[in-house]
Amino acid sequence: MEKRNLETICIQGGWKPKKGEPRVLPIYQSTTFKYDTSDQMGRLFDLEDSGYFYTRLQNPTNDAVASKIAELEGGVGAMLTSSGQAANFYAILNICKEGDHIVSSAPIYGGTFNLFAVTMKKMGIDFTFIDPDASEEEISKAFKPNTKGLFAETLSNPSLVVLDIEKFAKIAHSHGVPLIIDNTFATPINCRPFEWGADIVTHSTTKYMDGHAMAVGGCIVDSGNFDWDAHADKFPGLTTPDASYHGIIYTQKFGKGAYITKATVQLMRDLGSIPSPQNAFLLNVGLETLHLRVQRHCENAQKVAEYLAANDKIAWVNYSGLKDNKYYELAQKYMPNGSCGVISFGLKGGRDASIEFMDKLKMIAIVTHVADARTSVLHPASHTHRQLTEEQLIEAGVQPDLIRLSVGIENVNDIIADIEQALNN
C-alpha cells in the first residue's frame, strides 16, 4: 500500500482485522498462548519463527499499537514499554554497557536527567551534558572514544528548547553514533525526527499520545537507518554473537530491524518493563484522535501565550509560536504546524509570586502530569525537578520562577479567564 497520511494512520494503523474479526482492536488479556507441538514453541524461543508465546515479549494488542506508532514516525518497528522512563532507559541500554559513554542535551525532563546522571551512572554508563544551542565544534568536544550515542528532546520539558535536529544528526553521525530523540512533546503529528536524520525515537505515551491521563506508557521506535555494521566495533551487542540466543548476530539475522529486535527479545525478556494489554488498548483509543487534539492544543496554547505576553504582570513567556521567541525560526523549520500545548512563563515577583498565582487557579489544576486534554500547571523547581541542585536546575534550563502550563483542549476563553482571575486576585 502507498504511504498513508498521518490522520489515516491514527485511525487505521496497526490493527488490520480479517474476515469476521473485531473492527476495534481487541484486548488480548492473556499472559500466554497455545501451540500444538513442542517444536513450534521451540522455534519461537530460537527466534526462527514469529508469533506469540508470552506477553512479556510480545502480545497482539501491544504489537498492534506499537506498529501504529512506528508507522506514524516512519520507522521500521517499535516496542511499547511500561513508561517513558523505561523507554529512555532501554533505548540507551540497548547499545551501552558498563564503561560506555553518552552525550546528552542538558535541558531534558528532570526524571530523565536523574536517570542518566545518577542511576545509570551507578551502572557504569557515563553521561556528559551539553548546551544544545552550542556550536557543532563545542558539542563535538564532549565526545570520547567510548561514546555510543547522542540524546536530546525535540522540545525540552519544561524549558521548551527547540532542538536543531539536523545539526545534532550531523554531529552524531560524524562520530559514528546514533541520534536518539525523545519526541514526546511534538509527537509525530508535528515533527517526525527521522525525516531530519534522527535514528531512534522515544516517547512517553502517557502524554499527548494517550491524551486522557489514563495510562502510563512509553515507546521506542527504530528508523532502521543507522548502519550498525559500519561501526561494528562500537556496537558489539548488535554485531557479534548473542550467547543467550545460540549465537545469533542481530544485524545479520534482522537487518534494519536489528536494534528494535534486540531491545525486545533481550532487554524486555530480561527486565520486563511491559505495558498491560489493557493500557495498550487505552493508548490506542487516544491515538485515534491524536491528530485532532494536537491541533487544538497548539491553537489554544498560541492564544494563551499571546495573552500572557501582553500582560504586564508577566515577566517573561517562552513559547516558540511567538515571533519574538529565540526558537521561532527553528520551530518554523521543524514544526511549521505548531509545536505543542506547553508554555513556560514567570511572573514579576519571582518564585513566590509564581507559587501564589498557581494556588489561586480554579479550573486549571496543579498536577504532576502534562500534555493531556485538561489544562494543568506545575512549578518544576518545586515538583518534577525538585531532586536537582540549583546548579543542575540552571543547567536543565529551569529557572526558579518557571511555571509550566499545559494548555488543554477546553474552550480557550475559559482557560484565559481562569488565568486572569488568578493574576488579579
Side-chain angles (χ1 to χ4, degrees), residues 153-176:
E153 295 175 348
T154 313
L155 284 159
S156 62
N157 177 13
S159 54
L160 300 177
V161 172
V162 177
L163 186 72
D164 190 340
I165 303 173
E166 281 192 315
K167 179 180 82 173
F168 264 56
K170 180 181 177 182
I171 295 168
H173 297 158
S174 70
H175 291 276

Side-chain angles (χ1 to χ4, degrees), residues 5-280:
N5 291 302
L6 295 178
E7 298 89 343
T8 301
I9 299 169
C10 283
I11 302 295
Q12 298 278 0
W15 174 243
K16 299 176 178 62
K18 301 181 179 66
K19 179 181 178 181
E21 290 187 332
R23 186 73 174 93
V24 174
L25 173 66
I27 304 171
Y28 286 86
Q29 195 66 47
S30 178
T31 63
T32 190
F33 303 85
K34 175 190 175 294
Y35 286 86
D36 294 330
T37 69
S38 176
D39 180 64
Q40 290 173 344
M41 182 68 77
R43 290 182 63 80
L44 293 172
F45 275 96
D46 282 344
L47 306 182
E48 293 297 332
D49 285 344
S50 61
Y52 301 101
F53 53 97
Y54 197 58
T55 283
R56 188 173 77 242
L57 282 94
Q58 288 181 294
N59 175 282
T61 305
N62 294 7
D63 282 4
V65 180
S67 177
K68 175 179 286 190
I69 296 174
E71 189 177 1
L72 284 169
E73 285 286 8
V76 298
M79 180 182 78
L80 297 188
T81 62
S82 57
S83 68
Q85 282 288 88
N88 283 332
F89 175 53
Y90 281 18
I92 300 295
L93 194 62
N94 202 35
I95 53 174
C96 285
K97 64 182 186 307
E98 183 182 7
D100 286 339
H101 174 255
I102 293 286
V103 177
S104 173
S105 174
I108 55 176
Y109 168 58
T112 306
F113 190 100
N114 198 73
L115 169 67
F116 291 171
V118 179
T119 301
M120 295 192 78
K121 186 175 182 179
K122 293 177 182 177
M123 300 170 63
I125 300 171
D126 193 27
F127 288 78
T128 298
F129 296 94
I130 51 89
D131 178 358
D133 294 334
S135 67
E136 292 180 24
E137 293 73 22
E138 284 297 311
I139 294 173
S140 287
K141 290 178 182 178
F143 283 75
K144 304 176 181 180
N146 61 335
T147 300
K148 298 300 176 69
L150 178 59
F151 179 90
E153 295 175 348
T154 313
L155 284 159
S156 62
N157 177 13
S159 54
L160 300 177
V161 172
V162 177
L163 186 72
D164 190 340
I165 303 173
E166 281 192 315
K167 179 180 82 173
F168 264 56
K170 180 181 177 182
I171 295 168
H173 297 158
S174 70
H175 291 276
V177 301
L179 172 59
I180 303 171
I181 290 186
D182 185 326
N183 197 34
T184 296
F185 269 13
T187 81
I189 301 302
N190 282 343
C191 183
R192 286 162 43 107
F194 294 155
E195 296 176 352
W196 302 99
D199 301 292
I200 308 297
V201 158
T202 64
H203 285 277
S204 171
T205 62
T206 318
K207 311 304 191 298
Y208 287 119
M209 284 188 166
D210 172 279
H212 302 87
M214 291 190 296
V216 174
C219 187
I220 305 171
V221 188
D222 182 4
S223 70
N225 293 331
F226 191 81
D227 190 345
W228 306 103
D229 281 325
H231 310 281
D233 58 323
K234 284 183 176 287
F235 305 103
L238 286 157
T239 62
T240 61
D242 181 354
S244 69
Y245 279 110
H246 309 297
I248 67 165
I249 298 173
Y250 291 100
T251 54
Q252 291 183 8
K253 189 170 183 62
F254 300 104
K256 286 183 174 292
Y259 173 92
I260 203 66
T261 300
K262 177 179 178 291
T264 303
V265 303
Q266 188 186 87
L267 294 187
M268 193 61 82
R269 175 198 63 189
D270 294 345
L271 300 176
S273 299
I274 62 165
S276 71
Q278 175 73 51
N279 278 8

Side-chain angles (χ1 to χ4, degrees), residues 133 154-156 160-165 186 189-192 196 298 302 318-340 342:
D133 294 334
T154 313
L155 284 159
S156 62
L160 300 177
V161 172
V162 177
L163 186 72
D164 190 340
I165 303 173
I189 301 302
N190 282 343
C191 183
R192 286 162 43 107
W196 302 99
C298 292
Q302 183 69 32
N318 182 18
Y319 187 68
S320 61
L322 298 175
K323 291 187 177 180
D324 62 351
N325 185 271
K326 67 179 291 186
Y327 296 109
Y328 178 77
E329 293 300 328
L330 270 182
Q332 290 299 301
K333 174 180 177 178
Y334 293 115
M335 296 168 284
N337 296 321
S339 56
C340 68
V342 181

